[in-house]
Amino acid sequence: APNGLLWLATANRGLVRWDRKRGQARAFRRADGLANDNIYAVYADRRCHLWMSSDYGIMQFDPVRQTTRTYLLEDGLST
């Protein structure tokens, strides 16, 4: 990661932002707006939004605003 930040998907601990340069980590969880704390994968898009698969749909996380949008079956996801 060019800015030293790594984003990690975790089992039941949410999304973790790890700042390697500072040696600091911060977890984002349901209390912070995530739909689920069990995240299988996290990928960044061209706009630097993070996309995560979870036990409760797919989430789009904006790391600048620290906001989450969740997509579910009723939004068109398949099972």
Side-chain angles (χ1 to χ4, degrees):
N3 59 3
L5 294 179
L6 293 176
W7 294 92
L8 309 170
T10 69
N12 296 315
R13 300 229 183 239
L15 174 68
V16 174
R17 180 185 66 204
W18 179 35
D19 186 333
R20 294 185 308 171
K21 291 179 182 176
R22 294 185 178 152
Q24 297 174 338
R26 172 164 186 229
F28 294 88
R29 302 186 69 163
R30 288 182 63 195
D32 301 301
L34 296 187
N36 193 274
D37 288 334
N38 194 27
I39 300 172
Y40 293 98
V42 58
Y43 298 97
D45 66 16
R46 291 186 302 230
R47 296 185 337 191
C48 297
H49 291 153
L50 303 176
W51 291 86
M52 302 170 283
S53 56
S54 77
D55 283 340
Y56 190 73
I58 294 175
M59 294 176 278
Q60 179 192 37
F61 181 76
D62 182 336
V64 174
R65 294 185 176 142
Q66 297 182 359
T67 57
T68 305
R69 180 168 180 192
T70 303
Y71 297 89
L72 304 169
L73 290 174
E74 52 266 23
D75 297 310
L77 292 183
S78 63
T79 54

